[in-house]
Amino acid sequence: MKALVVSATPEPQSFVASMARTSCEVLERKGYEVATSNLYQMNWNPVASADDFGRRANPNYLTYALEQRNGVQTQTIAQDIQQELDKLMAADLLVLNFPIYWFSTPAILKGWIDRVLVSGTAYGGKRIYDKGGLTGKKALVGAALGGRPHMFAPDGIHGPVHDMLRHLLRGTLGYCGMGVPQPFFAWHVPYITPEARDEMMADYIAHLESVEDLPLMEFPHMADFSETMEPIRKQ
């Protein structure tokens, strides 16, 4: 089994950085061969642009997704993208460790998603959800935030945290076909005691150790939809 741990935090002493190191340690103990992508350490370029393609299918107008397909097929996609794509495609498990910024991922991680989850490989056309290009892989989110759990309860001020990250959990990971175990959230991290952080890390370790058995989030099944993506009404 192989895993890819992608971390996106600007502070190497942060709780998220510790989560990423812990992800590698626990998975290695479990027998995984672990690859890593520390995006800040790599100085990862998050900007999707025409520079990502050495030979364009259409040099006059940039349709990024179509150029991704052409770049992979012709082996002219940017080298940094190809290296990350190779790691992703080799992995059985993807782990994303990041602090939540503005109810979302940091820009550098969004840029990794934009550039590496290439059209034609990770998804495309009707190759989505349970027919997606990354079907058979799992993706675990381990994120940290400043809020408290009650703030993200169904009747909390922000609403459920899963709704907040729907664009990532469903619209990206599930959309590409990956099984998505219940994510792990480290709450109120900047404001709690070191002892409380230790307890939270112990909870994260337990979460990682049971990653194969965690329940998966529910996403659409393509068999329930027509050729035009309309729901099939069952009698």
Side-chain angles (χ1 to χ4, degrees):
M1 297 286 281
K2 294 184 178 182
L4 171 59
V5 176
V6 178
S7 60
T9 174
E11 175 49 66
Q13 300 181 80
S14 68
F15 189 84
V16 169
S18 295
M19 289 179 78
R21 289 190 292 269
T22 298
S23 297
C24 296
E25 293 165 2
V26 171
L27 293 174
E28 285 173 352
R29 284 202 305 269
K30 287 171 62 63
Y32 283 82
E33 180 182 334
V34 180
T36 62
S37 294
N38 184 326
L39 300 184
Y40 279 93
Q41 190 177 77
M42 294 161 59
N43 196 27
W44 174 259
N45 172 21
V47 180
S49 73
D51 292 338
D52 291 341
F53 312 109
R55 187 168 69 206
R56 295 266 296 276
N58 183 349
N60 299 314
Y61 187 92
L62 178 64
T63 303
Y64 192 80
L66 297 182
E67 295 296 346
Q68 285 181 316
R69 297 185 184 205
N70 178 70
V72 170
Q73 290 169 357
T74 61
Q75 299 183 329
T76 58
I77 201 163
Q79 185 178 15
D80 61 341
I81 296 175
Q82 188 63 60
Q83 289 173 344
E84 292 302 293
L85 182 60
D86 289 343
K87 287 191 281 187
L88 174 64
M89 297 309 294
D92 302 290
L93 173 66
L94 171 67
V95 178
L96 301 179
N97 292 133
F98 60 93
I100 292 178
Y101 291 172
W102 289 108
F103 289 12
S104 187
T105 63
I108 199 168
L109 177 55
K110 180 57 165 62
W112 185 88
I113 290 167
D114 289 347
R115 297 180 69 222
V116 176
L117 272 60
V118 297
S119 177
T121 301
Y123 71 98
K126 295 183 176 64
R127 294 177 62 245
I128 57 176
Y129 295 116
D130 58 328
K131 302 297 183 182
L134 303 184
T135 301
K137 302 178 185 297
K138 288 185 178 180
L140 177 67
V141 167
L145 65 165
R148 300 174 185 268
H150 69 264
M151 298 165 68
F152 295 89
D155 61 349
I157 188 169
H158 300 311
V161 67
H162 290 68
D163 291 352
M164 180 179 74
L165 289 180
R166 187 174 188 269
H167 62 92
L168 173 65
L169 300 171
R170 175 171 173 163
T172 302
L173 304 175
Y175 184 85
C176 289
M178 287 186 273
V180 183
Q182 291 298 320
F184 180 90
F185 296 106
W187 303 99
H188 210 46
V189 169
Y191 313 107
I192 58 178
T193 65
E195 292 76 17
R197 290 193 192 97
D198 289 344
E199 288 183 19
M200 204 167 294
M201 188 62 74
D203 290 341
Y204 182 55
I205 290 171
H207 200 78
L208 283 166
E209 287 177 339
S210 61
V211 66
E212 294 87 3
D213 302 317
L214 293 172
L216 300 181
M217 299 184 68
E218 286 289 333
F219 300 123
H221 295 275
M222 293 302 290
D224 295 331
F225 294 84
S226 71
E227 286 296 309
T228 57
M229 301 292 188
E230 294 176 294
I232 297 172
R233 306 298 181 188
K234 297 181 180 179
Q235 301 298 323

